[in-house]
Amino acid sequence: MLRCCPPGPPGSSSLRRALPPAASAVRHRLRECAARIPEAGTVLDLLEKCPEHQKKGGFPVVVFEGLDATGKTTVTQSVKDTLNGILLTSPPPCISQWRTIFDDEPTPIKRAFYAAGNYILASEIAKASTQAPVIIDRYWHSTAAYTIATEINGEVQDLPPAHDEVYQWPEDLLKPDLVLLLTVDPEERVRRLQCRGLEKTKEEAELEANCLFRQRVEESYRRMVNPACQEVDASPSKEEVLKTVLQLIKKHCAI
């Protein structure tokens, strides 16, 4: 979903290959594998029905990003209730049941699936934002941050530099008004996960086993631009976090 751009530092070209540069490239990748993966054909059909260059309605669109167990589910539900808004998730429910299928596919196909989810979600955002404030649990920044962290090995300094094109929002994807990045310290995040008592996702197992991977994901989030992520410390009580989040929404959005 990243735009085509001039050659950058080592690693940038592979990242641009890992993330489709636009909706047209996403459709092309899904079309290539549809004969082998029937679900890819279904995702493609849904994507084809989405108008190009979606436009936002009159209500604000706020995205929440962050690692697992940073409080996204609790905060997004609370903000939705407080603002009488509409809560959307990525990937959208119409395709999320196929995540496990695509997670086992080669990287280009897997990334095309998640990229398609963002464009399908954009269609839902365009419609919902004409009716009420829209709150979103993950969007494009997650797709980009996890891809960058996966494709680049090593430490944070091995990531593309802060102003590299890989951190730019795609030109043909509906843009939110505000992106809030929820963060907690690693120990607190692990404690919250243990309290859940749920089976670990592949994503969470990698985050737990590989400290450098987690650091690359978080730093990639911080380097995103147009729009950038506003970081929120989600360690305090849920009431305090909600208060901080609502203040930011009021400051940056017309509510």
Side-chain angles (χ1 to χ4, degrees):
M1 291 192 322
L2 298 177
R3 295 172 289 173
C4 294
C5 50
S12 292
S13 58
S14 65
L15 286 171
R16 285 190 287 273
R17 288 193 297 270
L19 279 168
S24 57
V26 176
R27 289 194 292 269
H28 177 71
R29 286 188 182 176
L30 291 172
R31 201 173 290 118
E32 285 184 327
C33 63
R36 182 174 63 83
I37 311 171
E39 293 81 2
T42 305
V43 174
L44 178 60
D45 289 341
L46 290 169
L47 185 58
E48 295 282 16
K49 294 176 182 177
C50 299
E52 293 186 15
H53 302 290
Q54 300 280 354
K55 292 190 176 181
K56 190 176 73 68
F59 287 91
V61 175
V62 181
V63 176
F64 286 83
E65 297 283 7
L67 305 181
D68 280 356
T70 53
K72 292 189 304 301
T73 301
T74 299
V75 174
T76 52
Q77 186 62 53
S78 297
V79 173
K80 177 252 186 187
D81 292 341
T82 303
L83 300 181
N84 292 316
I86 296 171
L87 177 59
L88 300 176
T89 58
S90 178
C94 59
I95 67 169
S96 61
Q97 68 267 32
W98 300 315
R99 286 182 67 169
T100 53
I101 294 173
F102 286 93
D103 280 347
D104 290 333
E105 291 293 330
T107 295
I109 298 174
K110 174 182 175 180
R111 297 305 174 192
F113 168 76
Y114 284 101
N118 286 323
Y119 284 101
I120 294 169
L121 179 61
S123 183
E124 297 180 3
I125 297 169
K127 180 180 179 180
S129 59
T130 65
Q131 304 167 4
V134 180
I135 313 303
I136 306 170
D137 187 341
R138 292 190 169 182
Y139 194 19
W140 178 80
H141 282 342
S142 280
T143 305
Y146 278 90
T147 296
I148 292 167
T150 301
E151 294 293 317
I152 300 297
N153 294 317
E155 302 183 13
V156 166
Q157 56 261 37
D158 297 310
L159 292 171
H163 299 291
D164 192 275
E165 198 77 10
V166 298
Y167 302 114
Q168 288 276 349
W169 190 270
E171 289 182 339
D172 65 345
L173 183 64
L174 186 150
K175 189 183 299 184
D177 296 290
L178 180 64
V179 181
L180 299 176
L181 174 64
L182 303 183
T183 60
V184 296
D185 63 69
E187 292 77 16
E188 171 62 14
R189 201 177 64 81
V190 171
R191 186 193 69 78
R192 292 181 181 185
L193 283 167
Q194 290 172 342
C195 289
R196 287 182 183 181
L198 300 176
E199 185 177 348
K200 294 174 186 174
T201 62
K202 287 184 178 180
E203 170 187 305
E204 185 50 47
E206 176 68 10
L207 288 168
E208 184 177 294
N210 191 334
C211 178
L212 290 178
F213 178 69
R214 175 180 54 77
Q215 292 173 359
R216 293 196 302 271
V217 172
E218 289 188 322
E219 182 59 27
S220 295
Y221 272 129
R222 294 187 178 104
R223 295 186 184 187
M224 299 295 168
V225 293
N226 192 34
C229 294
Q230 302 283 326
E231 194 164 343
V232 175
D233 179 9
S235 300
S237 68
K238 60 183 180 182
E239 292 80 12
E240 292 179 75
V241 175
L242 176 60
K243 180 180 178 181
T244 299
V245 163
L246 292 174
Q247 288 173 342
L248 286 168
I249 293 174
K250 183 178 180 180
K251 177 181 178 181
H252 294 278
C253 303
I255 293 183

